[in-house]
Every structure is written in structure tokens, then in C-alpha cells.
Amino acid sequence: MTAQHHSPSASFTGDANPYGGGDPYADYRTADFPFTHLADLADRRLGAGVIAANDEFFAQRENLLLPGRAEFDPEHFGHKGKIMDGWETRRRRGASADHPWPTADDHDWALIRLGAPGVIRGIVVDTAHFRGNYPQAVSVEATCVAGTPSPEELLADDVKWTTLVPPTPVGGHAANGFAVSVEQRFTHLRVNQHPDGGIARLRVHGEVVPDPEWLAVLGTFDVVALENGGRAEDASNLFYSPATNTIQPGRARVMHECWETRRRRDQGNDWIRYRLAAQSEIRALEIDTAYLKGNAAGWATVSVRDGDDGEWTEILPRTRLQPDTNHRFILPTPAIGTHARIDIYPDGGISRLRLFGSLTDEGRTRLAVRHQELGG
């Protein structure tokens, strides 16, 4: 195991107060972490999963990756005790009456398969509602293993794990954030609780690094999709929901899985700017307004540019959009670019943007080089 430098973005230590009634989040402790605008590589929508844990006596491991914040019902008890919305292990004990305490090496662990392999920029270990039963410390390790390894294969002696967060004290009922500065591509995490306790949610923020061989075999694919390495770089307004929603897999199933802006009271318009998987030739596109009915964008334009300093070229002129509808457009001439931008008029939202095409020779080369540099 190779130690790497990390820097906590914020530190919460010590107990939270016992729950005293009312809003359970009233005394929840959090902070503005600089990496949470990036995609969650452990998002279930991308295919992430908690594939194993050594103990989940009180609360099941799968809760770690549930969307949304953890819920708390003070009256909810079961045969094993208080039912918590998180992953909670039993209390560890020592070896004998003379040594009833856990050893310094005792810990519980869970294995996480990232939904999309990538470079991790920050991790949030959320102990919401775990006030007197959170771990004393946590640590996080990562590895890159091709294919679909089993838990047994990941735990084999020949797998190299890199420490992203060394054992670090955390606080109860708090979002504990850790910035990560390791320039490697990872596929799996091992989250450790020292010596035991509970974690409500885990978020792993970073940048998707796709497999260039897979994209080459696909040929034509969605070059802005999050799972293929696209990302939302900036947006005019994120009042109701993140711009990353527009490049998630599948169609939106409810309105909060879309991108929606606040109501404008000026003569401007809203927009999102994206970085594509790599330089691509775009031949068709979709703009979906699923589940946006009285708040869908009225009109939209789509533009692309080649390079960070390239000029924007409009590939879809201002076009009327219908509510709760998927709109498809075939481009009369393929467009080459590294970035894309959708402008909506005047405000509202869309649920998905799809840009269908293929990598250029330059795009394939650059993606392959980056993949290799990151140890993919």
C-alpha cells in the first residue's frame, strides 16, 4: 500500500449533540468543499455499487450510495436496534476480559465499485444522524483493476492499493470532506472505519476517464455523456439542480433529475458549457425536456468550438422546444469540436443533451495518451 498526500478540506471532530427533537438536520455540520461541483463517480446511475463489506449488522452497506441525503426516524427500531439510513457495523470488542478494547489495527471495511473509472478530486464521508455511533476515524484506499473483479479478487495479496485518505478523525452528524491530489485513474475504493461505527453516505467527486479502446469499438456514441468522459464545465444558473444531470445515463424519471434554472426577470438567457470526451465529429443531437412541462426551455441553440480558445460555431439555430418531449436533429454537415454549449431562451430547463458522433484521429490519440499516463 503506497501512501499519498491528501489535505482535508474541512475537519469535524468530536460528538454531535444527542438528537433533541424537531428538524434532525438543524445542527448538521457541513462546509463548502471545492470539489463537489464535479461528478460523483460513485453514483448509482453510473453503475456504482457497494460490492462487499466485512460487517453490516445494524445497517446495510448499500445505503452508502443512495441518492439524496440520509433520513432519520427517531421512532424506527427493529430487532437489532435503531434502524439507521447508512452503513453501520456492530461494536468491536477486544480479545479478553483483561483486554476488552479493540486494537489499533481493528477496523471495518466496504468495497466500492465506481460507476465510472476516473481521477478522484475529493471524497465526502457523511455521518449524518450518526451522533454517538460514528467511527473514530476513516481511511480510504483506491485501486485500478480491469474488468469486473469479484470481492475475493480485489482482496487478493497481489492487488495494489493506494491510500487517498490515511486514518483521519471525523465528526458525528457531519459532512467530512477530503481533497485528493493523486493523478491516477481508479476503478474501486476500500472505505475503512476505525475501529467500527456508521457512515450515512459516501460521495466520490472527480473526472471520468473512459477506456479509449471501448469507445473506438463503439464507433458512434454520445460524446458528451458523463459515462464516456464528457463533463459540464460551467452554467449560468444552478438554482434548482446541477448541470451534470443533463449528461447522466438514461432518461430523466422525475423533474429533479433534470436541469432547471430560476425564473429570469431580465432579457438574458441561460446556458451550459460542456467539455467533450475528446475532439469529436458530431453528426446528430438530441435535446430532451422529459418531465419539464410548465418550466421547459422555450427555445434552444447548440454551438461547438475546437480547443479552449476556439470560436463558437452554431450547429443548431434557435429552435422551438416542446415540453416533456425528446427532440432529435440530424446535422446537415458534421461538426468538429472539443467543447459544446447549449443556450436556452429565456430560462427553464432541459433534462438531457445528447451529441452523437465519433472521435477524430486527434481525439483518439489524446484520449489514449491520457489514459496511459493515468495508469489505465
Side-chain angles (χ1 to χ4, degrees), residues 37-112:
H37 67 285
L38 298 171
D40 180 7
L41 304 182
D43 193 324
R44 284 286 298 170
R45 290 173 294 181
L46 291 173
V50 188
I51 61 175
N54 72 306
D55 186 354
E56 47 187 327
F57 184 86
F58 286 115
Q60 60 193 21
R61 64 183 191 261
E62 287 86 358
N63 290 337
L64 282 172
L65 304 187
L66 289 178
R69 65 183 190 174
E71 298 180 357
F72 180 74
D73 181 350
E75 305 300 326
H76 198 190
F77 285 82
H79 292 295
K80 294 182 179 180
K82 181 71 184 72
I83 295 177
M84 298 293 291
D85 184 6
W87 168 49
E88 185 181 4
T89 66
R90 73 190 75 199
R91 299 188 187 215
R92 281 184 171 268
R93 302 304 189 203
S96 67
D98 292 333
H99 298 280
W101 307 280
T103 70
D105 293 331
D106 284 344
H107 66 277
D108 293 319
W109 53 264
L111 292 178
I112 315 295

Side-chain angles (χ1 to χ4, degrees), residues 3-337:
Q4 297 286 345
H5 295 295
H6 88 295
S7 58
S9 295
S11 178
F12 298 101
T13 57
D15 292 333
N17 292 326
Y19 173 65
D23 178 8
Y25 273 103
D27 61 340
Y28 176 70
R29 296 172 290 176
T30 187
D32 291 328
F33 303 120
F35 46 75
T36 53
H37 67 285
L38 298 171
D40 180 7
L41 304 182
D43 193 324
R44 284 286 298 170
R45 290 173 294 181
L46 291 173
V50 188
I51 61 175
N54 72 306
D55 186 354
E56 47 187 327
F57 184 86
F58 286 115
Q60 60 193 21
R61 64 183 191 261
E62 287 86 358
N63 290 337
L64 282 172
L65 304 187
L66 289 178
R69 65 183 190 174
E71 298 180 357
F72 180 74
D73 181 350
E75 305 300 326
H76 198 190
F77 285 82
H79 292 295
K80 294 182 179 180
K82 181 71 184 72
I83 295 177
M84 298 293 291
D85 184 6
W87 168 49
E88 185 181 4
T89 66
R90 73 190 75 199
R91 299 188 187 215
R92 281 184 171 268
R93 302 304 189 203
S96 67
D98 292 333
H99 298 280
W101 307 280
T103 70
D105 293 331
D106 284 344
H107 66 277
D108 293 319
W109 53 264
L111 292 178
I112 315 295
R113 180 189 64 243
L114 297 180
V119 178
I120 298 168
R121 302 299 185 191
I123 297 171
V124 178
V125 177
D126 189 347
T127 58
H129 314 305
F130 289 94
R131 295 171 178 268
N133 51 348
Y134 61 93
Q136 180 180 8
V138 299
S139 61
V140 182
E141 303 158 274
T143 189
C144 184
V145 179
T148 52
S150 67
E152 293 75 19
E153 290 170 323
L154 288 170
L155 295 172
D157 293 338
D158 60 344
V159 174
K160 177 185 176 183
W161 291 88
T162 298
T163 299
L164 304 184
V165 180
T168 304
V170 293
H173 195 44
N176 301 274
F178 304 92
V180 176
S181 56
V182 181
E183 289 294 322
Q184 288 181 237
R185 179 182 185 266
F186 295 114
T187 59
H188 295 78
L189 296 185
R190 184 163 59 189
V191 179
N192 304 302
Q193 303 193 72
H194 305 268
D196 53 39
I199 299 170
R201 296 288 188 268
L202 177 74
R203 304 296 185 235
V204 184
H205 297 281
E207 300 158 8
V208 176
V209 180
D211 181 350
E213 289 188 13
W214 175 254
L215 296 183
V217 169
L218 291 181
T220 297
F221 60 93
D222 181 1
V223 299
V224 75
L226 181 61
E227 60 191 317
N228 295 329
R231 64 180 185 264
E233 288 192 320
D234 199 5
S236 61
N237 188 274
L238 302 172
F239 188 82
Y240 286 112
S241 44
T244 300
N245 279 356
T246 61
I247 54 176
Q248 289 281 1
R251 298 194 75 199
R253 296 167 295 177
V254 289
M255 193 174 69
H256 67 73
E257 293 184 355
C258 307
W259 171 62
E260 182 189 1
T261 71
R262 70 174 74 198
R263 300 188 187 209
R264 275 191 172 267
R265 303 307 188 195
D266 58 21
Q267 300 300 304
N269 74 282
D270 289 314
W271 51 267
I272 304 175
R273 186 183 75 239
Y274 306 90
R275 178 180 290 272
L276 308 183
Q279 188 189 65
S280 305
E281 181 183 86
I282 302 165
R283 297 184 289 275
L285 62 93
E286 290 183 357
I287 301 173
D288 194 355
T289 58
Y291 290 97
L292 294 164
K293 298 182 179 181
N295 49 357
W299 292 263
T301 63
V302 177
S303 305
V304 300
R305 76 179 183 195
D306 191 22
D308 292 335
D309 301 321
E311 295 291 329
W312 289 105
T313 301
E314 191 174 86
I315 61 173
L316 179 72
R318 193 176 300 189
T319 301
R320 188 73 170 95
L321 300 181
Q322 300 300 319
D324 196 27
T325 301
N326 191 27
H327 310 75
R328 289 180 170 176
F329 307 95
I330 298 174
L331 301 184
T333 303
I336 292 178

